[in-house]
């Protein structure tokens, strides 16, 4: 019996993905666990491992690399030695129900197919105008529930589903990617579910600037970035702020404490395809230089679309650094279900009035903490930010375990 | 009252051969004339025989009806005509064209389908035009030439040019209604027209003795109170004499004459057709013996021709024959060497080149007047500046028109320019065609558009095609106006719209205004453009008032008007349906439905661009049209929008149209066959919900 290879769901909300390409040639012998094809989901490109063994057979009408197709679309078959090509009725698209949270990469079906065309729609109908607008806005109309007669998808349905404001003036459609849609969806979720409040404070950055210079002077193989140092400092401060070290649970009804051995801190990375937030794992127990090495790797993979979902799941807090753009204070959006995000501003050289009323040159940076007021109150958030600022000022000592 | 004319039977029976010809003494003038007539007949004969050869060799693509045996008639009649006189001919018209002065090379090239042909390859044998010399066309339809010649006569009478209109037609035309209507109109208006019946005894293959209750065509003149003369159609001198008298009488205001020329065609109806299923070889042979060319030559050589002996006369005739032979060979060579027309010019000359539109009036001042007043103003203003405009219709003279379309104009412009007609729509539409071809600008007022249908063939086959057939050498400035529309129990012979039908006819402009301002501007444009225009006025909106700009203005055809701007749905409507749709827009607006109304104003040309632009904005299209939807205006718009605007459609295109049903009389029935405001509102709501 041939094993069907279908487009798996990579997360609970995924409806479609971009089939990047096969990692095996047609006719190749595939073993269980071998990478079989690459799939771009909402968050990342992922290598999909084979759950079965057999000889890879790709029907002529199978989805071509680069095509965006619904979850459940048949991609190919794994055949046993000497097994005939599958035949029979056209395969039906199997769309995993919304209740299934875990991916179901190799759904099986009793109906087999060969060269029969593969249905790729969910059988909904759209007006020509809705299709045109959907293409312009990068919306997949096939996933929409139409409000027109007999469920026909209309322009209004497409526009409602679109996440980008479209100028009414005539222009070339830019289109949006699945990644962009996913980012927008996540940001909207955050804004809808949290009560964001942003606090800003000034920190004395001389300590971390000096620290980085010392790494350079010491000809360290890796020079930690500001973000790396900040991640370490936060991990040192967090145990004293259990109210910050929490996440909303999957039911979104209660807060769950994040234990100190799971201080995975997210780093917001700007990539050509949009914002991604890989996690530096277990920052509290990892030396700074190892963190620096790891974050470099993560950033590199993020920019090449090679992050796995696991590398982006279950953080405690996120750092967003816009300092290199000369930004000081800003209002970062919480990476839900986390409850706080720290924004790093530019390090500025400016005049500082000392405690003894002298004016001296100093290095300052603005810290912007957005917290979820639904989760904690302002005072504990402010206390956390004060501690972070203090840690920045005394970075070397804190990192050495003070 | 019995008519004042008896049949003038000049020659009871054709002479069987030239041997029977009486000895005539030829004067010097007669001698010159005889040689000239001989030359014309030789040109016709030799050209026709050359065409017959060419047809056999496949050089002629379509039909070819030769005039062999009948040469005396065209020759004798046309000898009296100038370029200003107009000839309207039949399907057997090569001889008329040549006798009127067309060079054989233009004729042959046309039959060869070359761009140097007289109709630039658009016509062929049955559409031979050369208006510059007064050759107003051969025709594939039997009898309209009779009406068109009346039009030529009417132009002459109106503009006092002294020209005559001549219709050549066969015995097949005399049992057609156009003969009756045309002769009657010519009689009552004393038009300068000569009706020449070439009675060759067969209408294609049907003998005239079978087809006619009264076999004498000439005797029918009496029925209309005009002279009817029968003549031997193979005797060129006698035809020349009698035609001369008739034409002189016409030029002098004495009215029309019917000349029946008994003759015979000695070749088949059309080249390549069998000839002996309906007539015998013996009969044909007999008539060949009566050849009009031989007959003239024999008569001339047998008689002292200006003092010359027979041998000297023969030398002259031989010289003519040789000269003509060279001329015809040169013509054929010219035709064969000529290029075929460029395929990409096939749709040129359907319409006249557009004329510039005058700038809009500087003053923004307007007056509020009715639709009817607006069209009356337009007509009166144009009649004041253009003496070539005349109006024809029933009751449009002193009475001022059933719908006051000409009220007061009779007193201003007189009876010739506001001409009441007999009830013969085909007749006066056909007359309008000939008038438009000869330099006047007829306005035909039908009262009800249903009456147009009696003249349908004249509009579709003649008026609409004339510019194209003549490759733009003729203009066709004819305005045809009439009322349309259902309402007030007018029932089915006084309520049709028909514009969808006319919209299918290339060469015609079809105008259906909905407001006073549009009506005036469009009528002005119609009265200035060179194309035939069907101008249809909805009876239910004639008294609707609206602002009309002061001063002179025109509205170009093919430019839609955005009656009302809206966002959610586009409604395309004409005439009364514009007003019906407008009446529900406020109610819909209160419910959040914003309606855009587009009035194309002209059905042909149709402004697709404006409709597409609107659909691009709204995504929804409803077409509201009073006549039945089947094959109609609404179907055309739907097809075009699907073709060009498919990706703008957010819902199917819907139509609200009249029922596929003649118009009933009783109000309870009438109201359900025509779209009502409630139907329109519901259709709009449904479509917005789609």
């Amino acid at each position: 019996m041939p094993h069907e290879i279908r487009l798996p769901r990579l997360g609970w909300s995924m409806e479609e993905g971009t089939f990047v390409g096969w990692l095996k040639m047609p006719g190749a012998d595939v073993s269980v666990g071998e990478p079989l094809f690459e799939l771009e989901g909402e968050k990342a490109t992922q290598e999909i491992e084979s759950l079965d063994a057999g000889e890879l057979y790709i029907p002529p009408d199978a989805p071509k690399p680069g095509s965006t197709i619904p979850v459940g679309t048949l991609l190919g078959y794994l055949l046993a030695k000497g097994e005939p090509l599958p035949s029979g009725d056209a395969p039906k698209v199997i769309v995993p129900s919304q209740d299934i949270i875990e991916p179901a990469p190799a759904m099986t079906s009793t109906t087999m197919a060969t060269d029969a065309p593969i249905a790729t729609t969910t059988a909904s109908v759209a007006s020509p105008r809705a299709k045109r607008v959907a293409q312009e806005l990068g919306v997949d109309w096939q996933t929409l529930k139409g409000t027109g007669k007999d469920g026909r998808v209309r322009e209004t349905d497409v526009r409602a589903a679109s996440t980008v404001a479209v100028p009414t003036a005539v222009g070339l459609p830019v289109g949006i990617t699945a990644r962009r849609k996913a980012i927008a969806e996540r940001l909207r979720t955050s804004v809808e579910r949290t009560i964001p409040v942003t606090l800003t404070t000034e920190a004395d950055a001389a300590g971390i600037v000096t620290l980085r210079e010392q790494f350079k002077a010491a000809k360290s193989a890796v020079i930690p970035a500001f973000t790396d140092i900040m991640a370490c400092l936060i991990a040192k401060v967090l145990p004293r702020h259990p109210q910050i070290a929490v996440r909303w649970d999957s039911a979104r009804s209660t807060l769950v404490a994040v234990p100190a051995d799971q201080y995975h801190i997210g780093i917001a990375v700007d990539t050509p395809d949009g914002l991604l937030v890989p996690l530096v794992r277990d920052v509290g127990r990892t030396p700074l230089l190892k963190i620096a090495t790891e974050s470099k790797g993560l950033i590199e993979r993020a920019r090449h679309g090679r992050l796995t979902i696991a590398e982006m799941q279950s953080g405690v807090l996120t750092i967003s650094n816009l300092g290199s753009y000369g930004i000081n204070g800003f209002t970062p959006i919480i990476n839900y279900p986390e409850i706080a995000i720290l924004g790093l501003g530019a390090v500025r050289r400016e005049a500082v009035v000392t405690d003894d009323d002298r004016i001296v040159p100093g290095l300052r940076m603005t810290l912007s903490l957005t917290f979820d007021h639904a989760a904690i109150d302002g005072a504990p958030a402010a206390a956390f930010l004060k501690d972070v600022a203090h840690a920045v000022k005394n970075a070397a000592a804190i990192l050495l375990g003070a | 009252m019995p008519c004042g004319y008896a049949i003038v039977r000049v020659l009871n029976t054709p002479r069987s051969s030239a041997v029977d010809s009486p000895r005539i003494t030829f004067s010097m003038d007669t001698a010159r004339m005889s040689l000239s007539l001989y030359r014309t007949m030789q040109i016709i004969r030799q050209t026709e025989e050359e065409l017959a050869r060419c047809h056999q060799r496949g050089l002629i693509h379509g039909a070819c009806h030769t005039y062999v045996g009948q040469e005396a008639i065209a020759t004798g009649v046309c000898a009296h005509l100038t370029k200003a006189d107009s000839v309207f001919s039949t399907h057997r018209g090569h001889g008329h064209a040549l006798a009127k002065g067309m060079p054989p090379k233009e004729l042959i090239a046309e039959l060869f389908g070359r761009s140097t042909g007289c109709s630039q390859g658009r016509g062929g044998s049955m559409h031979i035009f050369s208006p510059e010399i007064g050759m107003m066309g051969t025709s594939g339809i039997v009898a309209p030439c009779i009406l068109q010649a009346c039009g030529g006569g009417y132009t002459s009478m109106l503009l006092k040019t002294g020209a005559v209109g001549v219709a050549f037609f066969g015995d097949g035309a005399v049992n057609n209604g156009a003969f009756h209507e045309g002769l009657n109109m010519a009689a009552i208006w004393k038009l300068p027209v000569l009706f020449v019946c070439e009675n060759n005894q067969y209408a294609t293959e049907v003998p005239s003795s079978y087809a006619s209750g009264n076999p004498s065509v000439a005797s029918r003149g009496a029925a209309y109170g005009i002279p009817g003369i029968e003549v031997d159609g193979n005797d060129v001198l006698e035809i020349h004499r009698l035609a001369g008298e008739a034409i002189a009488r016409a030029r002098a205001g004495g009215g029309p004459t019917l000349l029946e020329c008994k003759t015979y065609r000695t070749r088949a109806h059309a080249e390549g057709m069998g000839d002996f299923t309906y007539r015998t070889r013996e009969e044909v042979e007999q008539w060949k013996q009566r050849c009009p060319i031989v007959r003239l030559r024999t008569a001339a050589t047998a008689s002292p021709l200006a003092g010359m002996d027979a041998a000297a006369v023969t030398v002259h005739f031989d010289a003519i024959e040789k000269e003509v032979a060279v001329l015809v060979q040169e013509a054929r060579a010219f035709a064969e060497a000529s290029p075929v027309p460029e395929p990409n010019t096939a749709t040129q000359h359907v319409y006249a080149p557009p004329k510039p539109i005058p700038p809009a009036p500087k003053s923004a001042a307007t007056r509020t007047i009715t639709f009817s007043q607006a069209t009356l103003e337009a007509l009166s203003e144009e009649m004041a500046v253009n003496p070539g405009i005349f109006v024809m219709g029933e009751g449009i003279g002193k009475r001022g028109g059933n719908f006051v379309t000409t009220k007061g104009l009779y007193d201003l412009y007189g009876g010739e320019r506001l001409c009441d007609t007999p009830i013969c729509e085909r007749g006066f539409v056909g007359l309008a065609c000939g008038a438009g071809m000869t330099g006047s600008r007829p306005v035909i007022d039908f009262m009800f558009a249903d009456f147009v249908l009696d003249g349908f063939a004249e509009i579709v086959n003649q008026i609409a095609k004339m510019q194209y057939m003549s490759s733009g050498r003729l203009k066709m400035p004819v305005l045809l106006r009439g009322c349309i529309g259902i309402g007030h129990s007018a029932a089915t012979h006084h309520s049709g719209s028909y514009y969808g039908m006319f919209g299918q006819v290339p060469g015609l402009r079809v105008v259906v205004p909905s407001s006073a301002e549009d009506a005036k501007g469009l009528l002005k444009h119609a009265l200035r453009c060179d194309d035939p225009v069907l101008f249809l006025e909805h009876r239910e909106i004639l008294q609707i008032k609206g602002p009309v700009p002061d001063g002179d203005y025109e509205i170009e055809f093919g430019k839609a008007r955005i009656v009302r701007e809206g966002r959610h749905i586009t409604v395309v409507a004409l005439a009364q349906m514009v007003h019906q749709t407008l009446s529900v827009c406020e109610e819909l607006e209160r419910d959040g439905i914003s309606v855009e109304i587009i009035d194309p104003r002209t059905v042909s040309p149709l402004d697709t661009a404006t409709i597409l632009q609107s659909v691009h904005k709204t995504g929804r299209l409803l077409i509201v049209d009073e006549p039945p939807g089947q094959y109609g205006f609404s179907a055309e718009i739907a097809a075009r929008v699907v073709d060009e605007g498919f990706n703008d459609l957010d819902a199917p295109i819907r139509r609200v149209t009249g029922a596929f049903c003649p118009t009933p009389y009783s109000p309870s029935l009438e109201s359900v066959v025509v779209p009502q405001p409630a139907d329109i509102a519901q259709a709009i709501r449904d479509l917005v919900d789609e």
Side-chain angles (χ1 to χ4, degrees):
Chain A
M1 182 115 171
H3 296 289
E4 290 184 353
I5 305 164
R6 289 185 181 268
L7 193 86
R9 191 190 293 281
L10 297 182
W12 70 273
S13 67
M14 177 172 163
E15 296 294 346
E16 63 175 24
T18 301
F19 175 68
V20 177
W22 293 101
L23 296 172
K24 292 284 185 184
M25 298 296 284
D29 278 320
V30 179
S31 312
V32 174
E34 272 196 287
L36 191 53
F37 60 91
E38 279 189 301
L39 174 62
E40 187 190 346
E42 295 170 353
K43 296 172 182 171
T45 303
Q46 200 159 322
E47 288 183 356
I48 305 298
E49 296 175 357
S50 178
L51 296 179
D52 302 291
E55 185 183 317
L56 178 61
Y57 170 68
I58 305 167
D61 54 357
K64 298 285 173 275
S67 50
T68 300
I69 46 179
V71 168
T73 304
L74 185 71
L75 301 173
Y77 297 91
L78 291 173
L79 307 176
K81 207 78 184 162
E83 186 175 28
L85 294 181
S87 63
D89 296 333
K92 300 208 168 40
V93 172
I94 295 171
V95 180
S97 104
Q98 296 286 337
D99 299 330
I100 300 172
I101 291 171
E102 289 306 312
M107 303 291 296
T108 53
S109 166
T110 51
T111 52
M112 294 293 146
T114 53
D115 298 335
I118 293 174
T120 55
T121 74
T122 52
S124 58
V125 175
S127 75
R129 186 185 184 91
K131 287 179 183 170
R132 191 201 76 204
V133 173
Q135 193 180 8
E136 287 167 6
L137 300 182
V139 172
D140 178 8
W141 63 266
Q142 288 173 323
T143 63
L144 303 179
K145 184 171 159 29
T147 57
K149 191 179 179 192
D150 301 330
R152 187 190 296 126
V153 174
R154 308 188 292 176
E155 180 192 10
T156 174
D157 303 321
V158 175
R159 292 208 184 271
S162 163
T163 55
V164 288
V166 178
T168 49
V170 176
L172 287 177
V174 174
I176 62 170
T177 60
R179 175 79 44 80
R180 187 71 244 165
K181 277 192 281 181
I183 291 167
E185 204 42 57
R186 290 186 65 82
L187 293 174
R188 174 171 290 118
T189 303
S190 172
V191 170
E192 284 171 356
R193 293 195 179 138
T194 66
I195 304 170
V197 177
T198 302
L199 307 173
T200 60
T201 191
E202 299 292 304
D204 182 346
I208 48 177
V209 170
T210 307
L211 188 58
R212 291 191 73 231
E213 278 163 6
Q214 287 170 350
F215 274 107
K216 285 177 192 165
K219 296 195 172 18
S220 167
V222 185
I223 313 294
F226 279 104
T227 311
D228 301 331
I229 298 169
M230 287 304 299
C232 279
L233 293 173
I234 286 165
K236 300 291 183 196
V237 172
L238 267 179
R240 296 199 296 278
H241 297 274
Q243 283 179 290
I244 294 283
V246 296
R247 298 161 48 84
W248 290 103
D249 76 342
S250 56
R252 301 155 196 165
S253 56
T254 185
L255 292 164
V256 180
V258 178
D261 60 353
Q262 289 177 28
Y263 284 165
H264 313 319
I265 290 178
I267 301 167
V269 180
D270 177 41
T271 79
D273 290 337
L275 174 72
L276 284 176
V277 188
L279 294 170
V280 187
R281 302 234 151 229
D282 195 9
V283 181
R285 298 187 300 175
T286 308
L288 174 60
L289 283 181
K290 187 152 187 269
I291 285 172
T293 308
E294 278 185 11
S295 73
K296 277 191 172 51
L298 286 169
I299 290 166
E300 189 65 19
R301 287 209 296 289
R303 293 198 167 137
H304 290 89
R306 299 275 174 199
L307 288 178
T308 65
I309 288 179
E311 286 173 317
M312 293 185 282
Q313 271 174 345
S314 304
V316 64
L317 182 142
T318 296
I319 297 170
S320 177
N321 185 356
L322 292 181
S324 61
Y325 297 102
I327 302 297
N328 295 325
F330 58 105
T331 57
I333 292 174
I334 296 161
N335 189 15
Y336 185 88
E338 295 167 11
I339 66 139
I341 182 166
L342 184 69
L344 307 185
V347 173
R348 310 186 299 276
R349 181 175 296 279
E350 57 181 43
V352 176
V353 182
T354 62
D355 291 344
D356 52 353
D357 286 342
R358 283 183 301 117
I359 295 175
V360 298
L363 293 166
R364 312 285 288 177
M365 71 189 290
T366 304
L367 300 175
S368 307
L369 177 76
T370 300
F371 68 96
D372 183 358
H373 213 326
I376 59 166
D377 287 333
F384 170 69
L385 185 57
K386 187 186 172 197
D387 264 10
V388 172
H390 180 264
V392 168
K393 184 178 181 180
N394 305 292
I398 299 286
L399 289 171
L400 288 170
Chain B
M1 282 283 290
C3 76
Y5 296 98
I7 309 167
V8 183
R9 182 154 293 171
V10 174
L11 296 167
N12 271 330
T13 49
R15 293 166 192 166
S16 58
S17 79
V19 180
D20 298 337
S21 297
R23 294 177 65 89
I24 306 165
T25 303
F26 287 85
S27 70
M28 193 66 188
D29 281 351
T30 316
R32 275 202 206 95
M33 183 193 72
S34 297
L35 291 173
S36 171
L37 295 174
Y38 187 77
R39 182 171 183 274
T40 303
M41 288 198 292
Q42 277 293 347
I43 289 174
I44 297 171
R45 173 68 58 91
Q46 292 196 36
T47 302
E48 292 288 39
E49 287 178 342
E50 187 62 31
L51 286 171
R53 273 191 291 277
C54 292
H55 187 273
Q56 277 184 359
R57 286 166 197 164
L59 288 162
I60 294 170
H61 308 284
C64 178
H65 308 103
T66 70
Y67 197 64
V68 175
Q70 305 182 195
E71 294 90 345
I73 304 166
T75 301
V77 172
C78 291
H80 297 286
L81 302 179
T82 70
K83 287 178 182 175
D85 299 313
S86 48
V87 162
F88 301 84
S89 165
T90 67
H91 58 282
R92 195 174 307 288
H94 303 165
H96 308 135
L98 294 168
K100 194 71 172 55
M102 178 178 287
K105 65 179 184 180
E106 281 186 28
L107 175 70
I108 297 175
E110 183 60 29
L111 269 78
F112 283 13
R114 307 302 167 107
S115 61
T116 52
C118 62
S119 303
Q120 297 176 14
R122 285 172 174 72
S125 170
M126 288 181 278
H127 311 285
I128 300 288
F129 288 87
S130 189
E132 297 83 356
I133 59 166
M135 178 60 202
M136 295 302 179
T138 58
S139 175
I141 308 290
V142 167
C145 59
I146 296 173
L147 303 171
Q148 290 163 11
C150 292
Y154 205 92
T155 297
S156 170
M157 182 181 77
L158 183 74
L159 302 178
K160 317 236 176 313
T161 63
V164 294
V166 177
F168 289 99
F169 51 92
D171 48 286
V174 304
N175 297 318
N176 182 290
F179 177 85
H180 166 61
E181 296 184 20
L183 265 65
N184 186 56
M185 289 190 297
I188 65 172
W189 296 318
K190 275 193 175 295
L191 299 179
V193 177
L194 177 61
F195 300 105
V196 182
C197 174
E198 302 176 323
N199 184 352
N200 66 17
Q201 306 175 47
Y202 295 92
T204 310
E205 292 94 356
V206 178
S208 59
S209 57
Y210 161 84
S212 304
N214 168 8
S216 166
V217 175
S219 73
R220 297 188 190 190
Y224 308 101
I226 66 172
I229 302 168
E230 183 181 297
V231 62
D232 179 349
N234 289 17
D235 184 345
V236 67
L237 294 172
E238 195 58 10
I239 292 166
H240 182 265
R241 185 178 70 79
L242 291 166
E245 288 174 10
I247 288 167
R249 180 165 62 249
R251 290 196 208 282
T257 302
L258 170 63
L259 189 64
E260 180 189 8
C261 306
K262 293 259 192 172
T263 185
Y264 199 86
R265 63 172 158 77
T266 50
R267 293 191 68 82
H269 166 70
E271 287 309 299
M273 276 175 73
D275 208 18
F276 302 113
T277 53
Y278 61 95
R279 61 183 192 178
T280 62
R281 287 176 197 278
E282 293 70 32
E283 184 180 295
V284 175
E285 264 322 301
Q286 264 186 357
W287 276 95
K288 280 185 180 170
Q289 299 307 312
R290 303 181 192 175
C291 168
I293 298 173
V294 174
R295 184 159 158 184
L296 175 63
R297 186 171 172 139
T298 309
T301 48
S303 308
L305 183 61
M308 290 184 281
D309 61 14
V313 172
T314 302
V315 168
H316 277 292
F317 281 126
D318 286 348
I320 287 171
E321 271 187 57
K322 287 201 182 88
E323 179 244 317
V324 169
V326 171
L327 177 74
V328 171
Q329 283 313 309
E330 282 173 356
R332 177 185 163 167
F334 168 84
E336 274 197 280
S338 292
V340 296
E342 288 295 327
N344 62 9
T345 63
T347 58
Q348 282 178 9
H349 303 306
V350 177
Y351 295 99
K355 290 180 176 175
I357 303 287
K362 290 196 178 94
S363 153
T366 61
R367 290 156 297 120
T368 300
I369 57 175
T370 65
F371 187 106
S372 283
Q373 285 167 329
T375 57
L376 184 58
E377 274 187 13
L379 180 57
S380 185
E381 287 169 18
E382 288 306 298
M383 288 188 81
V385 296
N386 185 348
I389 298 178
F390 68 97
V391 186
M392 275 191 169
E394 294 142 17
I396 57 85
K398 279 185 183 153
R399 186 191 171 200
N402 192 47
F403 295 111
V404 295
T405 46
T406 52
K407 188 183 175 190
L409 300 185
Y410 184 90
D411 294 336
L412 287 172
Y413 307 115
E416 273 183 6
R417 298 187 66 194
L418 286 125
C419 178
D420 275 328
T421 61
I423 300 178
C424 58
E425 274 75 15
R426 181 186 177 191
F428 58 81
V429 173
L431 180 150
C433 179
M437 291 160 81
T438 48
S440 57
R441 183 178 280 274
V443 175
I444 300 301
D445 189 331
F446 285 107
M447 198 182 325
F448 288 92
D450 305 83
F451 307 163
V452 174
L453 301 185
D454 272 18
F456 191 70
E458 303 305 321
I459 296 172
V460 174
N461 260 330
Q462 307 295 330
I463 290 175
K465 295 175 179 172
M466 206 55 88
Q467 294 193 83
Y468 185 79
M469 289 191 293
S470 68
S471 61
R473 294 167 82 178
L474 279 168
K475 300 289 172 248
M476 191 43 61
V478 176
L479 173 63
L480 307 153
R481 67 184 298 194
C483 281
I484 59 170
I486 298 174
H488 292 93
S489 290
T492 202
H493 285 162
H494 295 76
S495 61
S497 287
Y498 311 112
Y499 45 74
M501 231 160 56
F502 286 104
Q504 294 189 338
V505 179
L508 210 56
R509 307 290 195 186
V510 183
V511 181
V512 191
S514 71
S515 75
E517 177 177 355
D518 289 352
K520 181 170 180 183
L522 290 164
L523 193 64
K524 281 248 174 176
H525 188 62
L527 287 167
R528 292 172 184 177
C529 81
D530 286 330
D531 295 324
V533 179
L534 187 67
F535 191 91
L536 300 173
E537 301 151 87
H538 200 290
R539 210 160 29 81
E540 297 291 311
I541 61 173
L542 292 179
Q543 297 312 313
I544 284 187
K545 287 189 175 180
V548 170
D550 285 344
D552 182 50
Y553 70 98
E554 265 182 66
I555 297 173
E556 207 179 335
F557 297 154
K559 300 273 184 247
R561 178 164 66 96
I562 301 170
V563 178
R564 182 186 197 277
E565 293 199 27
R567 301 185 311 281
H568 299 137
I569 183 169
T570 300
V571 176
V572 176
L574 291 165
Q576 162 78 335
M577 290 301 121
V578 171
H579 298 277
Q580 300 287 55
T581 306
L582 265 175
S583 74
V584 299
C585 285
E586 286 310 311
E587 165 205 327
L588 291 163
E589 192 79 46
R590 281 195 294 276
D591 294 345
I593 299 172
S594 164
V595 180
E596 179 146 310
I597 303 177
I598 306 288
D599 174 5
R601 305 196 283 199
T602 58
V603 168
S604 180
L606 178 61
D607 181 359
T608 314
T610 300
I611 297 169
L612 284 168
Q613 226 165 23
S614 177
V615 172
H616 181 70
K617 180 167 72 168
T618 64
R620 284 175 163 66
L621 175 61
L622 180 74
I623 306 144
V624 179
D625 200 25
E626 184 178 297
Q630 185 164 309
Y631 299 110
F633 167 73
S634 57
E636 177 64 22
I637 291 177
R640 291 197 194 188
V641 171
V642 167
D643 270 355
E644 299 177 52
F646 184 67
N647 289 330
D648 282 329
L649 289 169
D650 206 17
I653 297 171
R654 297 282 185 220
R655 298 187 281 167
V656 178
T657 66
F660 192 60
C661 174
T663 313
Y665 166 75
S666 171
S668 72
L669 301 174
E670 185 190 64
S671 64
V672 297
V673 301
V674 59
Q676 301 293 330
D679 304 326
I680 299 167
Q682 190 57 49
I684 290 172
R685 289 178 194 280
D686 289 348
L687 186 48
V688 168
D689 282 345
E690 278 259 7

